[in-house]
PDB file of all heavy atoms in Angstrom:
ATOM      1  N   PRO K  62       8.416  12.431  58.631  1.00 98.00           N
ATOM      2  CA  PRO K  62       8.286  12.072  60.042  1.00 98.00           C
ATOM      3  C   PRO K  62       7.937  10.587  60.152  1.00 98.00           C
ATOM      4  O   PRO K  62       7.332  10.018  59.237  1.00 98.00           O
ATOM      5  CB  PRO K  62       7.129  12.944  60.527  1.00 98.00           C
ATOM      6  CG  PRO K  62       7.048  14.068  59.549  1.00 98.00           C
ATOM      7  CD  PRO K  62       7.475  13.495  58.235  1.00 98.00           C
ATOM      8  N   LEU K  63       8.349   9.976  61.257  1.00 98.00           N
ATOM      9  CA  LEU K  63       8.071   8.560  61.492  1.00 98.00           C
ATOM     10  C   LEU K  63       7.417   8.400  62.865  1.00 98.00           C
ATOM     11  O   LEU K  63       7.762   9.115  63.803  1.00 98.00           O
ATOM     12  CB  LEU K  63       9.380   7.746  61.467  1.00 98.00           C
ATOM     13  CG  LEU K  63      10.234   7.854  60.207  1.00 98.00           C
ATOM     14  CD1 LEU K  63      11.599   7.203  60.428  1.00 98.00           C
ATOM     15  CD2 LEU K  63       9.520   7.217  59.020  1.00 98.00           C
ATOM     16  N   ILE K  64       6.499   7.450  62.946  1.00 98.00           N
ATOM     17  CA  ILE K  64       5.823   7.172  64.217  1.00 98.00           C
ATOM     18  C   ILE K  64       5.926   5.676  64.502  1.00 98.00           C
ATOM     19  O   ILE K  64       5.782   4.851  63.582  1.00 98.00           O
ATOM     20  CB  ILE K  64       4.333   7.601  64.157  1.00 98.00           C
ATOM     21  CG1 ILE K  64       4.236   9.127  64.185  1.00 98.00           C
ATOM     22  CG2 ILE K  64       3.528   6.995  65.297  1.00 98.00           C
ATOM     23  CD1 ILE K  64       2.807   9.650  64.145  1.00 98.00           C
ATOM     24  N   ARG K  65       6.202   5.335  65.767  1.00 98.00           N
ATOM     25  CA  ARG K  65       6.340   3.922  66.123  1.00 98.00           C
ATOM     26  C   ARG K  65       4.994   3.202  66.095  1.00 98.00           C
ATOM     27  O   ARG K  65       4.003   3.695  66.611  1.00 98.00           O
ATOM     28  CB  ARG K  65       6.972   3.784  67.511  1.00 98.00           C
ATOM     29  CG  ARG K  65       7.047   2.336  68.012  1.00 98.00           C
ATOM     30  CD  ARG K  65       8.090   2.138  69.071  1.00 98.00           C
ATOM     31  NE  ARG K  65       9.388   2.661  68.645  1.00 98.00           N
ATOM     32  CZ  ARG K  65      10.227   2.012  67.824  1.00 98.00           C
ATOM     33  NH1 ARG K  65       9.926   0.821  67.359  1.00 98.00           N
ATOM     34  NH2 ARG K  65      11.370   2.574  67.477  1.00 98.00           N
ATOM     35  N   GLU K  66       5.022   2.025  65.451  1.00 97.00           N
ATOM     36  CA  GLU K  66       3.867   1.129  65.493  1.00 97.00           C
ATOM     37  C   GLU K  66       4.435  -0.236  65.837  1.00 97.00           C
ATOM     38  O   GLU K  66       5.081  -0.870  64.997  1.00 97.00           O
ATOM     39  CB  GLU K  66       3.185   1.096  64.119  1.00 97.00           C
ATOM     40  CG  GLU K  66       1.720   1.450  64.181  1.00 97.00           C
ATOM     41  CD  GLU K  66       1.147   1.610  62.787  1.00 97.00           C
ATOM     42  OE1 GLU K  66       1.550   0.841  61.875  1.00 97.00           O
ATOM     43  OE2 GLU K  66       0.323   2.511  62.596  1.00 97.00           O
ATOM     44  N   GLY K  67       4.256  -0.661  67.065  1.00 94.00           N
ATOM     45  CA  GLY K  67       4.871  -1.911  67.498  1.00 94.00           C
ATOM     46  C   GLY K  67       6.375  -1.789  67.430  1.00 94.00           C
ATOM     47  O   GLY K  67       6.945  -0.834  67.936  1.00 94.00           O
ATOM     48  N   ASP K  68       7.025  -2.733  66.724  1.00 93.00           N
ATOM     49  CA  ASP K  68       8.481  -2.628  66.693  1.00 93.00           C
ATOM     50  C   ASP K  68       9.004  -1.998  65.407  1.00 93.00           C
ATOM     51  O   ASP K  68      10.174  -2.102  65.087  1.00 93.00           O
ATOM     52  CB  ASP K  68       9.134  -3.996  66.965  1.00 93.00           C
ATOM     53  CG  ASP K  68       8.615  -5.051  66.008  1.00 93.00           C
ATOM     54  OD1 ASP K  68       7.897  -4.676  65.059  1.00 93.00           O
ATOM     55  OD2 ASP K  68       8.927  -6.243  66.230  1.00 93.00           O
ATOM     56  N   ARG K  69       8.103  -1.347  64.644  1.00 96.00           N
ATOM     57  CA  ARG K  69       8.631  -0.633  63.474  1.00 96.00           C
ATOM     58  C   ARG K  69       8.198   0.828  63.484  1.00 96.00           C
ATOM     59  O   ARG K  69       7.294   1.229  64.228  1.00 96.00           O
ATOM     60  CB  ARG K  69       8.203  -1.324  62.180  1.00 96.00           C
ATOM     61  CG  ARG K  69       6.686  -1.405  61.954  1.00 96.00           C
ATOM     62  CD  ARG K  69       6.383  -2.146  60.663  1.00 96.00           C
ATOM     63  NE  ARG K  69       6.287  -1.229  59.532  1.00 96.00           N
ATOM     64  CZ  ARG K  69       5.169  -0.541  59.237  1.00 96.00           C
ATOM     65  NH1 ARG K  69       4.086  -0.650  59.966  1.00 96.00           N
ATOM     66  NH2 ARG K  69       5.153   0.282  58.204  1.00 96.00           N
ATOM     67  N   LEU K  70       8.927   1.625  62.663  1.00 98.00           N
ATOM     68  CA  LEU K  70       8.595   3.043  62.516  1.00 98.00           C
ATOM     69  C   LEU K  70       7.895   3.214  61.174  1.00 98.00           C
ATOM     70  O   LEU K  70       8.408   2.779  60.145  1.00 98.00           O
ATOM     71  CB  LEU K  70       9.869   3.892  62.567  1.00 98.00           C
ATOM     72  CG  LEU K  70      10.543   4.006  63.945  1.00 98.00           C
ATOM     73  CD1 LEU K  70      11.999   4.444  63.807  1.00 98.00           C
ATOM     74  CD2 LEU K  70       9.781   4.972  64.844  1.00 98.00           C
ATOM     75  N   ARG K  71       6.697   3.823  61.177  1.00 98.00           N
ATOM     76  CA  ARG K  71       5.990   4.020  59.908  1.00 98.00           C
ATOM     77  C   ARG K  71       5.970   5.506  59.546  1.00 98.00           C
ATOM     78  O   ARG K  71       6.095   6.368  60.412  1.00 98.00           O
ATOM     79  CB  ARG K  71       4.561   3.484  59.996  1.00 98.00           C
ATOM     80  CG  ARG K  71       3.662   4.307  60.916  1.00 98.00           C
ATOM     81  CD  ARG K  71       2.189   4.200  60.548  1.00 98.00           C
ATOM     82  NE  ARG K  71       1.355   4.819  61.564  1.00 98.00           N
ATOM     83  CZ  ARG K  71       0.979   6.099  61.545  1.00 98.00           C
ATOM     84  NH1 ARG K  71       1.375   6.907  60.572  1.00 98.00           N
ATOM     85  NH2 ARG K  71       0.210   6.593  62.503  1.00 98.00           N
ATOM     86  N   LYS K  72       5.823   5.771  58.254  1.00 98.00           N
ATOM     87  CA  LYS K  72       5.754   7.155  57.789  1.00 98.00           C
ATOM     88  C   LYS K  72       4.525   7.840  58.353  1.00 98.00           C
ATOM     89  O   LYS K  72       3.463   7.216  58.493  1.00 98.00           O
ATOM     90  CB  LYS K  72       5.697   7.207  56.269  1.00 98.00           C
ATOM     91  CG  LYS K  72       7.020   6.859  55.636  1.00 98.00           C
ATOM     92  CD  LYS K  72       6.982   7.005  54.134  1.00 98.00           C
ATOM     93  CE  LYS K  72       8.325   6.580  53.563  1.00 98.00           C
ATOM     94  NZ  LYS K  72       8.304   6.400  52.138  1.00 98.00           N
ATOM     95  N   ALA K  73       4.659   9.127  58.641  1.00 98.00           N
ATOM     96  CA  ALA K  73       3.528   9.875  59.184  1.00 98.00           C
ATOM     97  C   ALA K  73       3.564  11.288  58.619  1.00 98.00           C
ATOM     98  O   ALA K  73       4.551  11.698  58.004  1.00 98.00           O
ATOM     99  CB  ALA K  73       3.625   9.919  60.707  1.00 98.00           C
ATOM    100  N   THR K  74       2.470  12.024  58.814  1.00 98.00           N
ATOM    101  CA  THR K  74       2.483  13.429  58.403  1.00 98.00           C
ATOM    102  C   THR K  74       3.057  14.253  59.547  1.00 98.00           C
ATOM    103  O   THR K  74       3.110  13.802  60.697  1.00 98.00           O
ATOM    104  CB  THR K  74       1.063  13.942  58.121  1.00 98.00           C
ATOM    105  OG1 THR K  74       0.322  13.888  59.351  1.00 98.00           O
ATOM    106  CG2 THR K  74       0.370  13.108  57.056  1.00 98.00           C
ATOM    107  N   TRP K  75       3.479  15.471  59.238  1.00 98.00           N
ATOM    108  CA  TRP K  75       3.983  16.363  60.289  1.00 98.00           C
ATOM    109  C   TRP K  75       2.911  16.608  61.342  1.00 98.00           C
ATOM    110  O   TRP K  75       3.204  16.650  62.528  1.00 98.00           O
ATOM    111  CB  TRP K  75       4.452  17.699  59.688  1.00 98.00           C
ATOM    112  CG  TRP K  75       5.883  17.635  59.251  1.00 98.00           C
ATOM    113  CD1 TRP K  75       6.341  17.484  57.977  1.00 98.00           C
ATOM    114  CD2 TRP K  75       7.046  17.699  60.094  1.00 98.00           C
ATOM    115  NE1 TRP K  75       7.721  17.445  57.967  1.00 98.00           N
ATOM    116  CE2 TRP K  75       8.174  17.580  59.256  1.00 98.00           C
ATOM    117  CE3 TRP K  75       7.245  17.829  61.460  1.00 98.00           C
ATOM    118  CZ2 TRP K  75       9.491  17.608  59.741  1.00 98.00           C
ATOM    119  CZ3 TRP K  75       8.559  17.856  61.960  1.00 98.00           C
ATOM    120  CH2 TRP K  75       9.654  17.743  61.099  1.00 98.00           C
ATOM    121  N   LYS K  76       1.664  16.763  60.849  1.00 97.00           N
ATOM    122  CA  LYS K  76       0.583  17.059  61.791  1.00 97.00           C
ATOM    123  C   LYS K  76       0.416  15.924  62.799  1.00 97.00           C
ATOM    124  O   LYS K  76       0.366  16.143  64.016  1.00 97.00           O
ATOM    125  CB  LYS K  76      -0.721  17.287  61.003  1.00 97.00           C
ATOM    126  CG  LYS K  76      -1.774  17.986  61.809  1.00 97.00           C
ATOM    127  CD  LYS K  76      -2.894  18.490  60.931  1.00 97.00           C
ATOM    128  CE  LYS K  76      -4.069  18.786  61.850  1.00 97.00           C
ATOM    129  NZ  LYS K  76      -5.325  18.663  61.160  1.00 97.00           N
ATOM    130  N   GLU K  77       0.399  14.700  62.276  1.00 98.00           N
ATOM    131  CA  GLU K  77       0.293  13.529  63.162  1.00 98.00           C
ATOM    132  C   GLU K  77       1.442  13.493  64.169  1.00 98.00           C
ATOM    133  O   GLU K  77       1.243  13.279  65.364  1.00 98.00           O
ATOM    134  CB  GLU K  77       0.431  12.257  62.311  1.00 98.00           C
ATOM    135  CG  GLU K  77      -0.823  11.565  61.861  1.00 98.00           C
ATOM    136  CD  GLU K  77      -0.416  10.302  61.085  1.00 98.00           C
ATOM    137  OE1 GLU K  77       0.230  10.430  60.006  1.00 98.00           O
ATOM    138  OE2 GLU K  77      -0.710   9.203  61.565  1.00 98.00           O
ATOM    139  N   ALA K  78       2.657  13.672  63.635  1.00 98.00           N
ATOM    140  CA  ALA K  78       3.848  13.519  64.481  1.00 98.00           C
ATOM    141  C   ALA K  78       3.894  14.598  65.561  1.00 98.00           C
ATOM    142  O   ALA K  78       4.205  14.314  66.725  1.00 98.00           O
ATOM    143  CB  ALA K  78       5.103  13.570  63.611  1.00 98.00           C
ATOM    144  N   LEU K  79       3.578  15.831  65.190  1.00 98.00           N
ATOM    145  CA  LEU K  79       3.633  16.920  66.173  1.00 98.00           C
ATOM    146  C   LEU K  79       2.478  16.820  67.162  1.00 98.00           C
ATOM    147  O   LEU K  79       2.653  17.075  68.354  1.00 98.00           O
ATOM    148  CB  LEU K  79       3.647  18.279  65.467  1.00 98.00           C
ATOM    149  CG  LEU K  79       4.936  18.579  64.687  1.00 98.00           C
ATOM    150  CD1 LEU K  79       4.826  19.907  63.949  1.00 98.00           C
ATOM    151  CD2 LEU K  79       6.156  18.590  65.601  1.00 98.00           C
ATOM    152  N   ASN K  80       1.299  16.424  66.674  1.00 97.00           N
ATOM    153  CA  ASN K  80       0.163  16.241  67.591  1.00 97.00           C
ATOM    154  C   ASN K  80       0.481  15.167  68.625  1.00 97.00           C
ATOM    155  O   ASN K  80       0.235  15.336  69.815  1.00 97.00           O
ATOM    156  CB  ASN K  80      -1.100  15.834  66.824  1.00 97.00           C
ATOM    157  CG  ASN K  80      -1.751  17.040  66.160  1.00 97.00           C
ATOM    158  OD1 ASN K  80      -1.375  18.175  66.443  1.00 97.00           O
ATOM    159  ND2 ASN K  80      -2.703  16.787  65.281  1.00 97.00           N
ATOM    160  N   LEU K  81       1.034  14.061  68.139  1.00 98.00           N
ATOM    161  CA  LEU K  81       1.340  12.961  69.049  1.00 98.00           C
ATOM    162  C   LEU K  81       2.400  13.391  70.074  1.00 98.00           C
ATOM    163  O   LEU K  81       2.294  13.106  71.268  1.00 98.00           O
ATOM    164  CB  LEU K  81       1.838  11.747  68.248  1.00 98.00           C
ATOM    165  CG  LEU K  81       2.133  10.495  69.065  1.00 98.00           C
ATOM    166  CD1 LEU K  81       0.860   9.978  69.730  1.00 98.00           C
ATOM    167  CD2 LEU K  81       2.736   9.398  68.186  1.00 98.00           C
ATOM    168  N   THR K  82       3.412  14.107  69.595  1.00 98.00           N
ATOM    169  CA  THR K  82       4.466  14.586  70.500  1.00 98.00           C
ATOM    170  C   THR K  82       3.860  15.483  71.571  1.00 98.00           C
ATOM    171  O   THR K  82       4.125  15.316  72.769  1.00 98.00           O
ATOM    172  CB  THR K  82       5.535  15.357  69.700  1.00 98.00           C
ATOM    173  OG1 THR K  82       6.080  14.479  68.719  1.00 98.00           O
ATOM    174  CG2 THR K  82       6.646  15.869  70.597  1.00 98.00           C
TER     175      THR K  82
END
Side-chain angles (χ1 to χ4, degrees):
L63 304 170
I64 287 181
R65 175 158 308 280
E66 235 171 37
D68 54 9
R69 61 182 269 277
L70 288 161
R71 69 154 171 91
K72 287 184 182 167
T74 64
W75 272 102
K76 197 166 163 207
E77 263 182 296
L79 291 176
N80 281 349
L81 183 63
T82 301

